[in-house]
Amino acid sequence: MTPAQRCPLCRQTFFCGRGHIYSRKHQRQLKAALERLLPQVEAARKAIRAAQVERYVPEHERCCWCLCCGCEVRKHLSHGNLTVLHGGLLEHLASPEHKKATNKFWWENKAEVQMKEKFLISPQEYARFKKSMVKGLDSYEEKEDEVIKEMAAQIREVEQSRQEVVRSVLEPQAVPDPEEGSSAPGSWKGTNSHVASSSQQPSYLDLPPAPELDWMETGPPLTFIGHQDIPGVGNIHS
């Protein structure tokens, strides 16, 4: 009796020996698993000609599952505070261990032969990636130097403005002389009061002319009626 076997792709136990490998269900599961891994491999291949270098963040610790080797592989390659995107996966795909495991996986699962080369990186391709990685690191360092220079210029501007503010506060301000300040306003005050008093005095030139009375007009002489004392002549009782 054939011992029971468990398929890692289909996750089921079977007793038909290698007959399960040729079943439609197994081939369907195999194709779906390879299609899930293929986009990550294609993205890594694009980095061969133009490696991307970024500052390290915790997200760069993500891993992907290598179907051929049956293990997790770091997707990116990090060192210190720098990360080369897709560097870890490319390094794994170019390793001799991965090539050996891929050949075994393809033979055991009867996968399509044309697809096997898509999951392998040749030594020549990995050498080109190394050169591209060096250029990417140099370009990243140049950008970092420019950023550092800009930050230094901003810091100098802030420090200069701060020193100017402190200098303006500490410099002694000119205090006006009390004697000079009192003399000038006093003279102006006296002049202004004189002008005001002179402006308040009435001007005779501005008064209207006095009206002429009727009795002052020329005409016939008037006769006085009444008692009139004659000097030097006494009355009858004197």
Side-chain angles (χ1 to χ4, degrees):
M1 182 177 178
T2 305
Q5 298 181 10
R6 182 175 178 81
C7 179
L9 291 176
C10 302
R11 296 182 180 180
Q12 69 177 13
T13 304
F14 58 92
F15 298 91
C16 57
R18 290 184 57 83
H20 172 74
I21 304 299
Y22 299 97
S23 65
R24 292 182 179 179
K25 182 178 181 180
H26 179 80
Q27 292 297 321
R28 186 168 58 250
Q29 294 289 342
L30 175 62
K31 184 178 180 180
L34 292 175
E35 288 179 352
R36 287 194 298 268
L37 179 61
L38 185 59
Q40 302 183 53
V41 177
E42 290 179 348
R45 284 185 176 276
K46 293 180 180 179
I48 293 177
R49 296 182 178 180
Q52 297 181 3
V53 181
E54 295 182 357
R55 183 176 293 276
Y56 171 80
V57 293
E59 295 180 357
H60 293 158
E61 296 292 338
R62 290 184 300 177
C63 298
C64 61
W65 180 261
C66 180
L67 187 63
C68 303
C69 300
C71 63
E72 286 189 344
V73 179
R74 291 188 61 179
K75 191 173 182 180
H76 307 294
L77 185 62
S78 300
H79 180 72
N81 61 343
L82 299 180
T83 299
V84 181
L85 300 183
H86 307 289
L89 182 56
L90 287 173
E91 184 180 12
H92 174 75
L93 296 176
S95 64
E97 294 79 9
H98 174 74
K99 184 177 181 180
K100 183 178 179 180
T102 301
N103 293 332
K104 181 180 179 181
F105 179 84
W106 244 255
W107 181 80
E108 290 180 350
N109 293 277
K110 301 302 178 182
E112 296 181 8
V113 181
Q114 295 81 1
M115 292 186 64
K116 185 172 69 173
E117 295 299 326
K118 295 181 179 180
F119 296 89
L120 296 174
I121 298 295
S122 64
Q124 294 78 10
E125 291 176 329
Y126 191 67
R128 288 199 298 268
F129 170 71
K130 287 183 177 180
K131 294 180 180 179
S132 176
M133 182 173 58
V134 172
K135 293 181 180 179
L137 290 172
D138 294 340
S139 177
Y140 180 82
E141 290 178 356
E142 291 178 0
K143 293 180 180 179
E144 285 293 314
D145 292 341
E146 293 178 359
V147 172
I148 292 174
K149 291 179 181 179
E150 292 179 358
M151 293 178 62
Q154 294 177 359
I155 292 173
R156 285 194 297 268
E157 291 179 0
V158 172
E159 183 65 20
Q160 184 177 0
S161 61
R162 188 184 66 84
Q163 291 179 0
E164 291 178 356
V165 172
V166 173
R167 191 182 302 110
S168 63
V169 172
L170 296 179
E171 285 181 354
Q173 299 180 356
V175 180
D177 191 356
E179 296 181 357
E180 295 180 357
S182 60
S183 61
S187 60
W188 280 101
K189 183 177 180 182
T191 306
N192 293 336
S193 61
H194 177 71
V195 173
S197 60
S198 62
S199 63
Q200 293 177 0
Q201 293 179 359
S203 176
Y204 295 101
L205 299 177
D206 298 336
L207 294 177
E212 297 181 358
L213 301 178
D214 296 338
W215 61 272
M216 296 178 63
E217 296 178 356
T218 58
L222 299 178
T223 303
F224 180 80
I225 301 175
H227 179 74
Q228 183 177 9
D229 293 334
I230 300 174
V233 180
N235 54 20
I236 57 176
H237 300 287
S238 60

